[in-house]
Amino acid sequence: MNWDNTRFLLAIARTGSLRAAATSLEVDQATVARRLRTLEQELQTRLFTRQPEGYTLTTAGQLLLPEAETMEAAAAAMRRKTLGMDTSLAGTVHIASTESLASCFLLPALAKLRQSHPDITVMLSTAPALVDIKHGETDLAVRSARPIDENLIIRRLTTFHIGLYASADYVARRGLPVSGNAFSGHDLIMFPRDAVPQYWQRLCDEPITNGNIVLETPSQWLLIESIRHGVGISMMAREIVERLCPELVNVMPARQEKVDIWLVANPEVWSAGRVRVVMDAISHAFM
């Protein structure tokens, strides 16, 4: 049996059609059909039935699906381990972070890295959702949430000081919030509740009970811009404010909290030369 054909089994099972499977695998539809026929002949069984709504796994196909997924995971692990053996200072490094960290720290670091290591290419993602580093969704991550998996390579980069900020225009119109009044008479800008439920109780240890939530956004960049445009008050790191928008006003200096920033690496690739170089560049950016 040609185990590579299991890729086609998985693609059809996940997409439900030959055309969609071909798109996901970046091959033509005829290739998918041919590989499926070959696999069924090798296994001497039908794996799919074709119905009006698409391709559906037969009982045999359902029984084989877990083994196919195991083979896929093993192949991916082999690829990651091979990458980890590579000592060359060339190739691609995948980084996941946030919009503000990327803008203030990662991009300047990568600009310098480009001068000294032009053969390293970086793929930078700032999607709000956390990625699965251990299973190869990224090589490196820079974030404030420390992973609980101690098998990952974890390095503390720095500590941020979080405060409450608004624009000078907002303060001129609405005044400063009073500590202990739970933002009475003031507008708040928030990340969605499901993303950071802890901040829907208190911001920098100030209850938000009396505040008027006027804007929610999952985007750090939009949150920062909404503060700058005088929409309301929100939390920001002092270290971000100093670099991106030093004109903002800390409206309640007595209220602040500290947050550690972590560099996390996939243990299967962190020893690769290009990954170590990128890690060092990121670490220096936070010094």
Side-chain angles (χ1 to χ4, degrees), residues 95-103 106 124-129 218:
I95 306 175
S97 188
T98 65
E99 293 169 334
S100 58
L101 289 175
S103 179
L106 300 189
L124 178 60
S125 170
T126 58

Side-chain angles (χ1 to χ4, degrees), residues 16-17 49-56:
S17 75
T49 57
R50 185 170 184 176
Q51 299 177 344
E53 61 270 20
Y55 279 69
T56 303

Side-chain angles (χ1 to χ4, degrees), residues 80-206:
R80 293 195 299 270
K81 289 181 179 179
T82 301
L83 289 173
M85 299 173 189
D86 184 3
T87 59
S88 65
L89 300 181
T92 301
V93 177
H94 297 253
I95 306 175
S97 188
T98 65
E99 293 169 334
S100 58
L101 289 175
S103 179
C104 292
F105 297 94
L106 300 189
L107 292 182
L110 296 176
K112 292 182 180 179
L113 180 71
R114 178 68 184 165
Q115 301 303 313
S116 57
H117 297 89
D119 294 326
I120 294 177
T121 300
V122 172
M123 293 188 66
L124 178 60
S125 170
T126 58
L130 291 179
V131 295
D132 190 339
I133 301 174
K134 186 174 181 180
H135 291 93
E137 291 185 6
T138 190
D139 300 319
L140 302 174
V142 180
R143 62 196 194 190
S144 59
R146 189 188 192 283
I148 60 174
D149 187 348
E150 296 299 332
N151 292 317
L152 297 172
I153 308 300
I154 303 171
R155 180 186 300 177
R156 190 179 71 82
L157 293 171
T158 190
T159 299
F160 277 178
H161 300 81
I162 310 299
L164 296 163
Y165 290 87
S167 69
D169 174 69
Y170 177 91
V171 173
R173 289 184 289 109
R174 307 291 293 275
L176 294 171
V178 177
S179 181
N181 281 1
F183 296 104
S184 177
H186 286 276
D187 296 335
L188 300 177
I189 306 165
M190 307 286 287
F191 289 117
R193 185 191 296 266
D194 58 351
V196 285
Q198 69 275 22
Y199 294 136
W200 280 71
Q201 302 297 321
R202 312 174 80 86
L203 294 178
C204 291
D205 206 34
E206 178 74 16

